[in-house]
Amino acid sequence: MTLMPIATQSPSRESGGAALMEKAPERVRKPSPRYKVLLHNDPVNSMEYVVTTLRQVVPSLSEQDAIAVMLEAHNTGVGLVIVCDLEPAEFYCETLKGKGLSSSLEPES
């Protein structure tokens, strides 16, 4: 019996060709909708109370930012507190209401 060499086959490539790998389509994440937390004019509470409460409820507000929000609400009827995702916006709005301030949410346009 004669043994014949077994031919091994390697993947062939056409001249200069490279193996193509199919890439999965990239998923584009839509940013989550953002909401405005609004402070409404408050004829009952003092300006100092409003500023202090804003700073307690929204720690990212500086003293100057809180004063600006309070003055905007005082002068125009409504002031923009912060724009953020829905969950923290709901928290800020409800906490402000719980402390006696009038607040609402509105989708950012």
Side-chain angles (χ1 to χ4, degrees):
M1 176 157 89
T2 315
L3 291 176
M4 301 278 278
I6 299 174
T8 58
Q9 218 177 0
S10 62
S12 65
R13 296 181 184 201
E14 294 185 23
S15 63
L20 292 178
M21 297 199 46
E22 290 201 25
K23 189 175 169 185
E26 288 185 30
R27 289 189 175 172
V28 177
R29 283 187 72 161
K30 279 178 63 177
S32 59
R34 307 207 5 115
Y35 290 82
K36 295 190 254 185
V37 178
L38 303 173
L39 174 72
H40 300 274
N41 188 32
D42 182 358
V44 177
N45 294 300
S46 71
M47 292 181 172
E48 293 81 11
Y49 176 78
V50 173
V51 170
T52 302
T53 303
L54 282 169
R55 294 204 61 211
Q56 287 172 350
V57 173
V58 187
S60 62
L61 288 180
S62 68
E63 178 96 13
Q64 291 301 316
D65 290 339
I67 291 170
V69 172
M70 178 273 299
L71 287 173
E72 183 182 13
H74 179 73
N75 293 326
T76 68
V78 66
L80 176 62
V81 178
I82 193 169
V83 178
C84 56
D85 290 333
L86 180 59
E87 196 170 314
E90 288 175 332
F91 172 78
Y92 294 143
C93 183
E94 292 305 315
T95 307
L96 288 170
K97 287 178 183 178
K99 293 185 175 284
L101 301 180
S102 181
S103 179
S104 65
L105 291 182
E106 184 179 290
E108 183 183 40
S109 48

